[in-house]
Structures are given as structure tokens and as C-alpha cells.
Amino acid sequence: MGCMASRAQREARFSSEEKQDLIEAWKDSAPGSAVETATRLDALRKNLRAKQLNAYIVPTADAHNSEYTAACDRRREYISGFTGSAGTAVVLLESAHLFTDGRYHIQASQQLDHDWTLHKVGQPQVDDWPQWLAKNLSSGMAVGIDPTLMSNQSASMLAPMLSKNGIALHYNHSNLIDQIWNSRPEPVFFPIYEHEMKYAGVSATEKISNVREWLSKQNSPSAYLLSSLDEIAWLFNVRGASIPCNPVFPAYAVVKVTGTHLFIDPRLVNKDIATYFASISVELHAYDDIWGWIKSNKWHDMQFYFQNDASVALVQAAGQDNARLLPATSPVAMAKARKNEVEQRGMHNAYLRDGAAWVRWAAWLEEAMANNEEIDERKAADVLQSYRKQDPLYAMESYDAISATNENAALPHYETPKSHGRVIDRATPYLNDSGAQYHDGTIDTTRTVHFGTPTYEQRRAYTRVLQGHMALAQARFPQGTTGAQLDMLARQPLFQDGFNYLHGTGHGIGAFLNVHEGPYGFSSSSGGSITPVALEEGMAVSDEPGFYEEGQFGIRIESVFLVKSIGTYRDFGGKWLHFELVTRVPISTKMIDFRLLNENEKTWLYKHNALCRHELLPMVEHDSRATRWLQRQ
């Protein structure tokens, strides 16, 4: 639909050198080693004194609460040196503090210099930053934050907590980190493009119409304001490349019964996409015009419906009386979560092709290790990505690859160095958690293998993780069941040995969108963390239990499923659901202690690997090494 040029024509506008420059810009902005922060802290504290502030909060997210942020928005990383994807920095006049959860305790302790105090949130007697501020600041003190970087929901909890102790919360509309960041990277203005109907399945016109239908049922003139970048990209069937790993772009969107508006930097809009927006009656505005638009419309008894993570700045612009915060299960979020038939078919196709790329890579790596070559973590990750890039529908990585051996694999969110890294050894498991963004699907796959002789402990841990993975994969459950209710299926086999893992069991996945999609998922720590969300037909979700022996080794197995309906004996009790396997990568059997498996588990594993062989062999028949490897699985 629309007048967008073909993908080949679109790509022709960017030379191979320009594309490589984009990739290198992302790499250069990727997490690095620890940095000295004293000079940066001194500059920030000078600003604090000028503003009469006693503390400044520096969150991870950008103005859209994105998980992956552009290099120019990584303010917390700049001021602290900590590169993890979750955490909050709090800078006082005499001290600096970093708060992060169990996924990053080890990494943060390694990256923070002596000017910082690490608060290991989740450990006994360790407060998160809001509680810590309330307890450690004195009455009469003031705390500052950029209101575009804090959700209204968080501000509504923080302000009363501080006020109770006589501490004021000040909103600084000029970001104090930006004022001292002399080398701040420039944004990436990669032109956005139409996500074609053969991949999207439903037109943007129909999606917008559904939002308008919802608005028409409200009691007063109203506007639906979107700030989450994946929801905006999904609604308009448009994708971009301004942010690493997620094919989205900075923008705000407003849908009214009488009109639709997109607020975006004009440098992201070329003639073709402008024509496309005109064809679906979307009015374009400059990105920063969102504030004036909201303020000019709020005087007309307009009710603004915001996503639950909308910034306090957006809500303030509308006015508290005019703002209505939607739950996590907002109309757009849930419509996006339920993949249509075209999107589901695209996911299957993407995972099948990606499975072939994985097999070719796995065969290369096994041969190299058998020949006693020294392959480091970065080279292993890069070679896998090189196979993926051969796919004509490849767009970008879907997240920073976790390629980890030895003790590095015990870090669930290990950051593989930009160059080199530890050489993969033959005494411990090797873990690869990586993915790609294809125009027809988003990939998230993890497999753990061993290139030597596994120890008894490694075998037992691997087997327990595999049993948890299989137990969840085989679940059948009634409609209305939440991921949190199924979480124990994956953990129970590990619990038998007193094992556990401190991350979520799985998360939602977008369709050529964010690799981590809410509001659904497994466990209270992944998707719908405040109010667990029932799984519905069409949702794509990952299954990724793990085990981590700190300082020794780590194991994780991750596959992706689609939620589908299924008939049951007598069809008793209404509609029932199950998981349809999407991932097509064999599961290694080398580390399995088969004495721990029951017959059902052995049968599931055999059928899984047989299915992978059957579907992938025709796709790798030109690669004799890959064919031999696959036949052995």
C-alpha cells in the first residue's frame, strides 16, 4: 500500500560506505571499559550548585522509555561509566551512587570507578534509589530530574515519598547532563520507510480506524497520545534505523477522531515516506512541536489518553485534570501483541531462515574448535552475524550478542567485548544468545554447547535447564492464564536440585520490532511486572530458563513460541491454549544426563531435533559441512 519505493530502491539511496558508517557509529557508541568520571562529576556538581540542588537523578531510559537508546541519549552511561541496560545514577554534592538489579551486580562492580558507590538492589537491606533518597537526604534539600526522562507513574510515587520528609522534587527542563557533555554523539538520521503489507498484514488505515473507534466510545473529546516508539512504528506500518537493534525512530503520535498527527524530525522523512503519510491522512509536525500542540488543545476540554509509562513532562503539558493514564494493556499495546496471520507466518519464515544461518555457523565453529583454532567470543559472534547478513531480508541485530565462555557465561547479561574477548575454552560450556532483525520477524535464540568433556555438575545443570525449557514448551492452559502462573513449570526441575535463576523466564517479542515486547511474559520480572497479563492467541513469547555458577560457567536455552488455540479431550471448560514452536535450531545433547530424563522428555527432544533436521537440511544442502553437522544432531 502507499507509494513507498521498493526495498531495493530504498537501499540504493545509501551506499555501502554509508551503511558501514552507520554500523560503525553504533559500534563506537557501544558499551566499553570503565572510564574515569571525576571530571564529569565535578562539572555536574557545579550545575547542581548553580540550580541549588542537592541531588540529581540520571535514569537509563530516553524520553520514550526505550530499552535500547541512541548513543546521544545514554546519559547514565556517560556520567557513571556503567553500560548495563538497567540502572539509575544518583549524584549528590559529595557522593555518587548507582542502583541496579541482580543481572548487573558483577558488571557494575567492575565498571564503576572509586568515585561511585554501588547499591545491589535485590539484596537484603538494600533500598532502591527512591527509598534511599527519602532516607538519606535531609529536610529542606532538593532533588532534580529531567521530566522528559521520568514516567508520570514514577513521579507520582516519588514526589510524595520525598515530600513527606521535607525534600522537594524539582523538574529541570534543561538536562544537566547534556550541558556538560561536550562530546555528545549526534543523532542518527536514517530515513524511515514503509513496512510493507506483505509483512505487516494489516494496513495502517485499519489500525488507526480501530483506535478512533475506541476514542469514539469515550465520554468527551479525546486524543490518544503515543510515546512508545514500537507502538508508533506498529501503528503507522513504518520502520527506521535511528536506534541500535530496534527498527524504530524518535517520534510522538496523536490520534483523534478527526485527525492523526506524527511529530518527527524532518530529517527522517524523505519524499517517498511523506507521500505515504499523505496517502493515509497523517499530518506531519516537527518533533518538538508536540509540547505546543498539547498545550494549545488542552483548553478545549480535551481528554488526553497516555500510555502508562508516559513522561511526567507530557502529563504536565496536558494538565493533570486532562490526562488519563491507560493500563499496560492499552488498546494499541494489546493489538500489537496479538500477531496477525501474516505476522505469524513471517515469524515462522524468519526463524526457519535464521535456523539455517545458525546451523552453518555452528558447523563452522565446531570444526574450528576440533582443529584447535583459537576462537574468541567476539569472532564467534561476528561470524554468526555474517551468516545472518547474507539473508536479503536482514536489517540489523536485534540486540547486542551475548557470546560467552567460562565465567563470562555466568553473567546473564554479559557484554561481549567489541573486539577479541576470552578465547572459547573446551572445559566449560559456551553460550550464544543472539538474534537478528529481519523484515518479516525478530529473532531471539540461545543455545549452550560444549567442545570438550562436560563435568558431572555441568551435565546435571544443563539437564535441569533443558527439563525446565521442555516443561514450559509442552504447557496447555485455559484462556485467561498469565505467564506468571506458568513460570513455575520452567523453574521446578531446577528447584529439584536447589537451583534457580534471577532473571525472567521469558518475554514478549515483536514482529520486526522490539525484541523485548510488553506487557506480557513469564514471571513477575518480565512483562506485566506490576499486573501479570493473560496470554492470548497470536502472542510471541520466549522460553529461557538458565543456571549460573558465578565464576565458573553459565547455561541458558531459549526458544520462541507463538500462543495458539488447541482442542482438548471433550473440550471441557472453554478455550484452551498451547505453545507452537517457532525456533528452528537443534538443542545440543552432549551435556545431557539422560538418566534424569523421563520418556516424555526424551520423546520431545527427539522430535524437536528431528523437526529441525527435516526442515533445515534442504536449506543447507549447498553447505556440506553444515549438512554433516545437522545430520549428527
Side-chain angles (χ1 to χ4, degrees):
M1 145 172 204
C3 303
M4 187 59 189
S6 71
R7 183 170 182 268
Q9 292 172 316
R10 183 174 68 243
E11 291 194 339
R13 298 192 185 98
F14 304 96
S15 67
S16 59
E17 291 79 8
E18 289 173 321
K19 292 178 184 176
Q20 189 59 36
D21 287 344
L22 175 63
I23 294 170
E24 293 303 321
W26 285 350
K27 287 184 176 180
D28 289 342
S29 65
S33 57
V35 297
E36 181 272 326
T37 62
T39 302
R40 299 173 184 182
L41 288 170
D42 287 344
L44 177 58
R45 286 169 179 147
K46 183 178 180 180
N47 274 355
L48 292 184
R49 293 185 181 94
K51 297 287 185 181
Q52 296 184 318
L53 296 173
N54 302 95
Y56 194 65
I57 302 166
V58 188
T60 296
D62 60 11
H64 304 274
N65 202 31
S66 305
E67 176 187 15
Y68 282 89
T69 57
C72 57
D73 290 322
R74 295 175 189 164
R75 300 175 178 90
R76 191 225 58 218
E77 179 181 326
Y78 171 78
I79 196 63
S80 70
F82 169 62
T83 62
S85 66
T88 300
V90 177
V91 179
L92 278 64
L93 294 176
E94 303 297 336
S95 60
H97 306 262
L98 190 283
F99 299 79
T100 192
D101 61 44
R103 295 172 295 170
Y104 294 108
H105 289 169
I106 296 174
Q107 178 183 331
S109 65
Q110 295 170 345
Q111 290 186 319
L112 296 176
D113 68 16
H114 58 85
D115 286 306
W116 288 83
T117 297
L118 172 61
H119 297 256
K120 298 181 178 180
V121 180
Q123 290 190 351
Q125 273 67 75
V126 177
D127 290 322
D128 206 348
W129 64 269
Q131 293 77 22
W132 186 90
L133 278 172
K135 291 179 180 179
N136 287 273
L137 296 189
S138 303
S139 178
M141 289 186 171
V143 177
I145 190 171
D146 182 341
T148 66
L149 304 183
M150 172 175 273
S151 72
N152 186 74
Q153 193 174 49
S154 297
S156 298
M157 294 185 288
L158 178 63
M161 186 185 304
L162 296 179
S163 179
K164 182 179 179 181
N165 294 336
I167 304 164
L169 180 61
H170 289 187
Y171 297 119
N172 305 95
H173 292 274
S174 178
N175 190 283
L176 301 191
I177 298 293
D178 295 352
Q179 293 177 11
I180 66 169
W181 195 352
N182 296 326
S183 58
R184 187 182 178 195
E186 291 294 324
V188 175
F189 295 109
F190 193 101
I192 62 176
Y193 55 92
E194 183 184 354
H195 184 51
E196 299 171 69
M197 274 292 288
K198 62 182 178 181
Y199 305 128
V202 176
S203 70
T205 300
E206 182 176 341
K207 293 176 182 180
I208 294 169
S209 177
N210 290 337
V211 176
R212 285 179 174 159
E213 182 179 351
W214 182 87
L215 285 170
S216 68
K217 297 177 182 178
Q218 309 313 308
N219 296 325
S220 62
S222 54
Y224 195 119
L225 197 149
L226 294 91
S227 55
S228 291
L229 303 187
D230 63 329
E231 295 193 6
I232 295 170
W234 175 86
L235 180 67
F236 295 122
N237 284 345
V238 175
R239 300 294 188 265
S242 295
I243 295 174
C245 302
N246 292 336
V248 297
F249 49 92
Y252 294 99
V254 178
V255 178
K256 297 170 58 182
V257 173
T258 56
T260 306
H261 307 265
L262 180 65
F263 299 82
I264 185 171
D265 192 299
R267 287 170 287 188
L268 294 170
V269 181
N270 60 24
K271 182 178 179 181
D272 289 328
I273 199 65
T275 302
Y276 165 73
F277 282 127
S279 74
I280 58 174
S281 302
V282 173
E283 185 177 343
L284 300 180
H285 307 261
Y287 178 81
D288 288 330
D289 287 353
I290 182 65
W291 312 107
W293 190 94
I294 294 174
K295 291 175 182 178
S296 66
N297 279 271
K298 74 177 183 178
W299 308 113
H300 303 292
D301 296 322
M302 179 73 69
Q303 297 296 309
F304 295 88
Y305 288 91
F306 294 99
Q307 297 153 267
N308 69 332
D309 61 353
S311 71
V312 65
L314 286 171
V315 175
Q316 285 182 339
Q320 292 288 346
D321 291 341
N322 296 346
R324 299 290 182 270
L325 286 182
L326 296 165
T329 53
S330 65
V332 173
M334 293 305 291
K336 174 171 60 67
R338 295 185 290 262
K339 278 61 180 177
N340 59 55
E341 291 185 4
V342 171
E343 290 174 320
Q344 291 183 45
R345 184 164 62 249
M347 293 286 277
H348 275 290
N349 292 338
Y351 274 86
L352 185 61
R353 298 194 314 275
D354 193 76
W358 189 292
V359 166
R360 295 179 63 201
W361 166 78
W364 162 81
L365 181 58
E366 184 176 271
E367 181 177 271
M369 295 296 291
N371 291 335
N372 293 318
E373 294 182 36
E374 289 196 349
I375 306 296
D376 65 56
E377 295 165 329
R378 172 46 57 189
K379 181 174 182 180
D382 288 347
V383 171
L384 175 52
Q385 211 64 17
S386 72
Y387 280 113
R388 285 170 163 153
K389 288 178 179 178
Q390 295 173 25
D391 191 313
L393 296 184
Y394 176 88
M396 63 179 76
E397 290 180 283
S398 54
Y399 52 100
D400 300 323
I402 299 173
S403 174
T405 187
N406 205 285
E407 63 188 45
N408 293 340
L411 301 174
H413 284 247
Y414 172 63
E415 293 182 1
T416 307
K418 289 184 287 185
S419 61
H420 304 299
R422 186 190 289 267
V423 172
I424 298 173
D425 66 40
R426 293 164 179 78
T428 60
Y430 166 70
L431 184 155
N432 188 292
D433 182 342
S434 61
Q437 292 281 9
Y438 300 110
H439 285 263
D440 55 351
T442 298
I443 307 297
D444 189 356
T445 302
T446 309
R447 293 291 185 263
T448 305
V449 296
H450 203 295
F451 296 109
T453 303
T455 67
Y456 172 79
E457 290 297 332
Q458 292 167 0
R459 287 180 181 274
R460 192 172 187 96
Y462 181 89
T463 305
R464 292 307 193 196
V465 170
L466 175 58
Q467 287 177 304
H469 182 86
M470 293 189 292
L472 188 54
Q474 297 179 83
R476 293 188 179 189
F477 47 95
Q479 187 174 29
T481 301
T482 69
Q485 291 173 297
L486 299 177
D487 177 66
M488 184 56 68
L489 292 175
R491 296 182 189 267
Q492 186 58 33
L494 288 99
F495 283 5
Q496 298 302 310
D497 287 349
F499 296 160
N500 197 8
Y501 49 95
L502 301 181
H503 57 73
T505 297
H507 53 83
I509 295 175
F512 188 37
L513 275 174
N514 292 4
V515 72
H516 295 147
E517 178 177 86
Y520 59 103
F522 296 115
S523 86
S524 60
S525 60
S526 62
S529 58
I530 298 176
T531 304
V533 175
L535 297 173
E536 296 187 25
E537 192 168 2
M539 290 178 171
V541 64
S542 71
D543 170 13
E544 50 181 308
F547 174 79
Y548 311 95
E549 187 80 41
E550 185 175 339
Q552 300 295 322
F553 66 91
I555 293 164
R556 186 163 62 254
I557 301 171
E558 177 183 18
S559 299
V560 169
F561 308 124
L562 285 169
V563 180
K564 306 286 283 189
S565 62
I566 190 172
T568 60
Y569 175 67
R570 293 175 54 196
D571 290 324
F572 182 77
K575 187 175 182 179
W576 287 72
L577 303 170
H578 77 128
F579 297 121
E580 178 182 85
L581 179 69
V582 177
T583 302
R584 290 295 189 267
V585 176
I587 293 174
S588 174
T589 60
K590 186 174 185 178
M591 280 187 287
I592 297 175
D593 185 342
F594 281 93
R595 296 170 299 178
L596 297 177
L597 298 187
N598 59 38
E599 290 305 313
N600 175 63
E601 291 167 335
K602 293 176 183 177
T603 299
W604 186 95
L605 180 62
Y606 171 80
K607 288 183 176 180
H608 174 276
N609 283 357
L611 175 64
C612 292
R613 283 195 303 272
H614 173 72
E615 295 192 358
L616 294 175
L617 276 172
M619 302 184 69
V620 299
E621 59 183 1
H622 62 288
D623 187 330
S624 58
R625 179 174 60 193
T627 298
R628 293 192 302 271
W629 183 91
L630 187 55
Q631 289 172 333
R632 293 195 300 270
Q633 306 309 306

